[in-house]
Amino acid sequence: MSPLTWKVTLAFFCTVNTLLPCAQEPEKGPTLLTQNRKVASGVEENVLHVDPAVDGWRSEVLHSTAQQGLKGFLGWLVRAQDLPGGTLAESFTTNALRPPQLETVFHDGTLIAKQATGIGTRRYGVAELEEAAAGLRQALAGGAVFHDFFKFVSVEVGTDNTFRTHFLMHFAAGEAPSITQVNIEGSISWQVGESDEQASMLAFDVHHYEELITVRPAFEDITAAVFSATPRWKQQMLHGVDQYMGRQDRLIGKSYIGSHGIAIGDVNQDGFDDIYVAQQGGLPNRLYLHRGDHTVTEVSEAAQVDFLDNTRGVLLIDLDNDGDQDLAMAIGSSVLLAFNNGAGVFDKREVLRYPDQTDIFSLAAADSDRDGDLDLYASRYIAGGLMGGMPTPYHDANNGSTNIYWRNDGDHWTEATAAVGLDDNNHKFSLGAIWEDFDDDGDVDLYVANDFGRNNLYINDGKGHFHDEGVKRGADDIGAAMGVSVADANLDGRMDILVTNMFSSAGQRIASQDDRFMNGNAMEVHQDYLRHARGNSLLLGGEDHNFSDATASAGIAVGGWAWSAKFVDFNNDGYDDIYSPNGFITNENSKDL
């Protein structure tokens, strides 16, 4: 891997979770080589390039300096720590850290949202710093700060030994039921000291301020009450992927990044939804029956679904039109169908096989040809496995694996990807897909979310044949897609698309530097890289069945390293809300890559 490729890859893959701890951006590359660790042949040179100074990326050196400075400032601001010497320049000024005028923009009895209507014109100097901070500290006075987070999304290097950073910042404090979360966007101007590793704040400016206050708990975690009495709950369900990686038989299959999934459905027709949990190879899949009293019984063995194979993308759906819920699950490159006998026992099996061995990551089902039964679409990722190859080109890759469509013909299944036109632009890095009637003509179309590039929108011609019209309809949303959800978000009668993408502050900082990014070359794709690092997207359906990007006005882009965000109306007010899980592999050291 070339130094340039390493730099680009690092920029987009070193990010931080907005709610839970995750792998942070590295401080200095050489430290990875000074801890008596063995480095594989050919890797040492690339590891050195983790240090931005090696390639002359002064902005990233200054970014690391600014991180330390802001960390010290926030320690004083919200954690009652001493303000480190040299943090503030003598001429430092700031506006009020909590603007004086806030307006309530949302109140549903559970959550109150306030936003600043104006930032205020008064500036505070070093001697007035306590006064400038008083309002914010009062807002967080409900309890100790238990979560703080900040990211720099740009570094602008000046010509007079100064630089400016734009930041995103969140705080959460209090105790249930009253939790306050403060979200701030702003900028900091810095004066460089004797070296780029020293800098003092010249000015701190709040541009946008928001407070979210819970009146009563919106949710209660009842996981332990529901599941803790079931077998192996603690041993298998309360550990991460790292607990079992390298300790299982590789022939059974393994999943370095998890992505197994769950399915919910009433398998025994008692009126209560049950839960099927897929697990990595060597651990049995689990079926939990709802007992009707908010507890479950684990019946995987009795139901004959305790498969030990590495399993992903499970669905509980009626595959044979007999009125009960069957199971479809991706196991390696095949799909295992397990048919329900009506009493919650899956004693009949069928396997849908495909010639190559690339793993399937997720499944989606719908009656795409309107013949009265459900068909299956399987999304796949890297050809040859997770470590099989580098996306090429990185921002718009077309060297991924092919996805597969199986048509349900009643008494048998037919692999019909090419026959129905779903082989069009079918070499992407796909992680999820969803069926929906996007053009309001009475049949289902297919949206496919692709990492490293453009998404597909396959429009059904009414006869079960498809054409990819993602670019034509403004729905391709070039980026790092991890999932997709659909709803009528603005209640205009047309379906809108929520695409879960990765947000990368490092990508935002680096790809925005036209003179440095890609050595100033390939300017035509710089905006594609910036879009790639932007985060989640909201695409609104129009009267002409094309889509417009409403991400900025909706304010939903920054979701960390997001996975399969979903539209859900949490407070039953008729408007779909968004839940966006996020994070990535985390080790004990927050700086581990």
Side-chain angles (χ1 to χ4, degrees):
M1 187 185 296
S2 68
L4 174 60
T5 304
W6 171 261
K7 176 63 69 177
V8 173
T9 304
L10 179 67
F12 288 94
F13 277 82
C14 292
T15 186
V16 69
N17 178 2
T18 55
L19 296 178
L20 300 172
C22 159
Q24 303 279 335
E25 294 171 13
E27 290 181 333
K28 289 181 182 278
T31 59
L32 298 174
L33 301 177
T34 58
Q35 300 177 5
N36 297 319
R37 297 177 180 175
K38 293 182 179 180
V39 179
S41 175
V43 173
E44 182 172 345
E45 179 184 354
N46 284 324
V47 172
L48 287 173
H49 289 280
V50 175
D51 182 354
V54 170
D55 290 320
W57 278 85
R58 187 183 181 212
S59 63
E60 288 302 284
V61 175
L62 294 173
H63 164 259
S64 297
T65 302
Q67 277 188 316
Q68 295 305 310
L70 184 54
K71 187 179 297 183
F73 183 76
L74 295 183
W76 165 82
L77 178 63
V78 299
R79 297 193 181 279
Q81 298 171 359
D82 292 336
L83 187 64
T87 301
L88 306 180
E90 291 183 3
S91 60
F92 171 83
T93 64
T94 181
N95 51 12
L97 300 182
R98 182 179 189 260
Q101 295 182 338
L102 300 181
E103 176 186 6
T104 297
V105 296
F106 181 80
H107 191 339
D108 67 349
T110 297
L111 178 70
I112 301 173
K114 300 179 179 180
Q115 292 182 348
T117 56
I119 301 303
T121 59
R122 181 180 173 184
R123 303 295 297 180
Y124 299 80
V126 174
E128 303 164 304
L129 197 55
E130 291 288 346
E131 186 179 356
L136 177 57
R137 287 174 171 169
Q138 183 178 2
L140 299 173
V145 172
F146 60 84
H147 168 77
D148 55 31
F149 155 88
F150 70 86
K151 297 295 288 184
F152 290 114
V153 295
S154 72
V155 178
E156 301 168 3
V157 182
T159 58
D160 53 353
N161 231 22
T162 63
F163 67 100
R164 190 182 188 195
T165 56
H166 293 262
F167 66 82
L168 305 174
M169 187 183 299
H170 309 296
F171 304 105
E175 296 181 359
S178 182
I179 303 294
T180 297
Q181 177 174 319
V182 174
N183 303 324
I184 302 175
E185 298 179 23
S187 63
I188 304 173
S189 297
W190 304 82
Q191 177 70 55
V192 178
E194 295 181 359
S195 71
D196 283 350
E197 296 181 354
Q198 299 175 341
S200 299
M201 289 186 189
L202 289 170
F204 189 104
D205 292 276
V206 175
H207 300 162
H208 175 76
Y209 182 94
E210 180 180 65
E211 283 180 11
L212 306 173
I213 306 164
T214 58
V215 178
R216 59 176 184 238
F219 298 95
E220 180 183 357
D221 185 353
I222 60 171
T223 310
V226 174
F227 291 98
S228 61
T230 60
R232 300 293 185 271
W233 172 255
K234 180 178 180 180
Q235 295 90 334
Q236 293 183 14
M237 299 298 179
L238 299 185
H239 293 286
V241 171
D242 61 312
Q243 181 74 15
Y244 296 100
M245 281 302 300
R247 303 179 184 181
Q248 308 284 61
D249 188 337
R250 65 181 179 83
L251 297 179
I252 300 176
K254 59 183 178 180
S255 183
Y256 180 63
I257 61 171
S259 66
H260 298 285
I262 64 173
I264 296 176
D266 183 5
V267 303
N268 57 356
Q269 304 185 74
D270 63 354
F272 297 103
D273 280 331
D274 311 304
I275 302 175
Y276 187 71
V277 180
Q279 296 211 74
Q280 61 184 349
L283 300 178
N285 296 342
R286 299 288 184 180
L287 176 60
Y288 298 99
L289 291 187
H290 195 310
R291 298 171 51 147
D293 61 356
H294 306 299
T295 64
V296 296
T297 300
E298 197 274 321
V299 297
S300 313
E301 182 179 0
Q304 301 181 29
V305 291
D306 54 340
F307 306 107
L308 292 173
D309 306 83
N310 192 52
T311 307
R312 293 190 182 98
V314 291
L315 299 176
L316 276 169
I317 49 178
D318 187 1
L319 292 167
D320 52 7
N321 283 345
D322 63 353
D324 54 38
Q325 300 289 290
D326 307 305
L327 265 171
M329 63 204 87
I331 295 179
S333 60
S334 301
V335 176
L336 173 62
L337 309 179
F339 296 93
N340 194 333
N341 67 1
V345 176
F346 298 79
D347 54 2
K348 180 184 175 183
R349 317 276 171 68
E350 185 174 353
V351 178
L352 307 181
R353 303 185 186 278
Y354 197 72
D356 71 51
Q357 298 302 305
T358 300
D359 285 354
I360 296 169
F361 270 64
S362 65
L363 299 172
D367 183 9
S368 58
D369 54 2
R370 296 195 288 184
D371 66 349
D373 50 33
L374 296 176
D375 311 302
L376 287 171
Y377 186 82
S379 297
R380 303 198 298 173
Y381 199 64
I382 298 179
L386 187 59
M387 300 301 180
M390 176 65 67
T392 306
Y394 181 89
H395 68 290
D396 192 11
N398 284 289
N399 64 322
S401 184
T402 56
N403 298 335
I404 313 165
Y405 168 77
W406 277 285
R407 186 178 61 230
N408 187 346
D409 290 324
D411 58 350
H412 68 281
W413 293 78
T414 303
E415 189 279 302
T417 313
V420 302
L422 290 174
D423 58 342
D424 186 15
N425 290 329
N426 187 27
H427 287 88
K428 304 288 188 177
F429 289 72
S430 304
L431 286 171
I434 194 167
W435 298 94
E436 181 58 64
D437 184 3
F438 292 106
D439 55 359
D440 296 324
D441 64 351
D443 54 39
V444 291
D445 312 300
L446 180 68
Y447 193 92
V448 184
N450 301 313
D451 201 355
F452 304 110
R454 302 180 188 278
N455 301 327
N456 307 105
L457 174 56
Y458 293 105
I459 297 298
N460 193 331
D461 66 359
K463 302 177 182 178
H465 197 275
F466 298 84
H467 300 277
D468 182 12
E469 299 184 9
V471 174
K472 173 184 175 181
R473 294 179 181 263
D476 53 316
D477 189 54
I478 192 168
M482 308 289 180
V484 57
S485 185
V486 174
D488 182 6
N490 55 359
L491 299 184
D492 66 351
R494 293 177 289 274
M495 302 309 292
D496 310 307
I497 304 172
L498 169 67
V499 183
T500 309
N501 290 308
M502 181 185 69
F503 164 77
S504 170
S505 58
Q508 294 283 323
R509 293 194 308 271
I510 291 175
S512 60
Q513 299 183 49
D514 290 343
D515 59 333
R516 290 285 295 136
F517 183 56
M518 293 184 166
N519 295 320
N521 298 319
M523 293 292 295
E524 68 277 7
V525 301
H526 283 205
Q527 289 302 313
D528 290 341
Y529 274 87
L530 274 174
R531 177 68 176 265
H532 190 106
R534 184 186 69 172
N536 297 335
S537 296
L538 177 62
L539 308 177
L540 297 181
E543 292 183 4
D544 56 0
H545 303 123
N546 293 331
F547 291 85
S548 59
D549 191 330
T551 306
S553 60
I556 59 125
V558 181
W561 197 315
W563 300 89
S564 292
K566 296 295 181 185
F567 279 121
V568 182
D569 183 5
F570 286 115
N571 56 356
N572 294 322
D573 65 353
Y575 295 95
D576 281 289
D577 312 303
I578 295 174
Y579 183 75
S580 184
N582 61 99
F584 198 54
I585 298 170
T586 304
N587 213 323
E588 294 178 1
N589 184 344
S590 65
K591 294 297 182 184
D592 282 351
L593 292 178

